[in-house]
Amino acid sequence: MKLYAHYGFRDFVLCLGYRGNMIKEYFLNYEAMNNDFTICLNHENHITYHGDHKEQDFNVTLVDTGQETMTGGRIKRVERYVDSDTFMVTYGDGVADVNIRVLVDFHRADGRLATLTTVRPISRFGILDVDEGARC
């Protein structure tokens, strides 16, 4: 989300499935977990947060899309929260150094229905080149 925000995209819809409640709890407690604060322990429990963080202007919509739902079904279930014909989908475990602004500009200039960006991961275990006889 911080990579997207770096390029000016600050509205997010999270498609929740497995452990979605933990992600909801994380965001519900975000201010308290990322700031110093003072709490007045009376019947109203007034809280004053001190300082701010770079995520102050993020808008995050959390949607339970089902634990067994596949990618297309998840996108369909959050359709009502997407207010543009152009939107981006990223898996939560996606890690890459992509210039999001250049990617969106490329997508729009090309006039295509979809643009897909992939990254070839480096093997964790190395690579072994062998010939037809299975010799190194």
Side-chain angles (χ1 to χ4, degrees):
M1 291 171 63
K2 289 181 181 181
L3 177 66
Y4 278 98
H6 175 77
Y7 293 103
F9 302 98
R10 299 181 182 279
D11 294 320
F12 304 95
V13 178
L14 302 186
C15 302
L16 304 179
Y18 179 68
R19 296 214 168 176
N21 287 342
M22 292 180 72
I23 296 170
K24 286 181 179 181
E25 287 176 11
Y26 172 80
F27 281 100
L28 286 171
N29 296 312
Y30 195 87
E31 292 297 322
M33 300 308 289
N34 289 284
N35 283 307
D36 295 338
F37 62 89
T38 302
I39 184 168
C40 179
L41 298 175
N42 62 16
H43 64 282
E44 295 178 13
N45 283 343
H46 177 75
I47 299 174
T48 303
Y49 295 102
H50 307 289
D52 57 3
H53 46 79
K54 293 179 182 177
E55 298 82 25
Q56 286 296 127
D57 57 350
F58 282 23
N59 292 303
V60 184
T61 302
L62 298 105
V63 182
D64 184 357
T65 55
Q67 189 167 331
E68 302 298 323
T69 309
M70 302 302 285
T71 305
R74 290 183 190 279
I75 294 169
K76 182 66 177 168
R77 290 181 183 187
V78 302
E79 178 180 26
R80 65 180 172 222
Y81 301 108
V82 177
D83 60 1
S84 172
D85 288 339
T86 302
F87 61 94
M88 295 169 270
V89 177
T90 300
Y91 279 94
D93 60 353
V95 178
D97 184 16
V98 175
N99 183 320
I100 304 294
R101 177 54 59 199
V102 168
L103 179 65
V104 171
D105 291 345
F106 169 82
H107 171 77
R108 289 182 174 149
D110 197 39
R112 301 290 178 159
L113 178 64
T115 300
L116 180 67
T117 303
T118 63
V119 196
R120 183 170 296 177
I122 298 170
S123 172
R124 299 183 322 182
F125 306 108
I127 297 173
L128 180 63
D129 289 324
V130 295
D131 64 15
E132 290 180 17
R135 290 176 290 202
C136 296

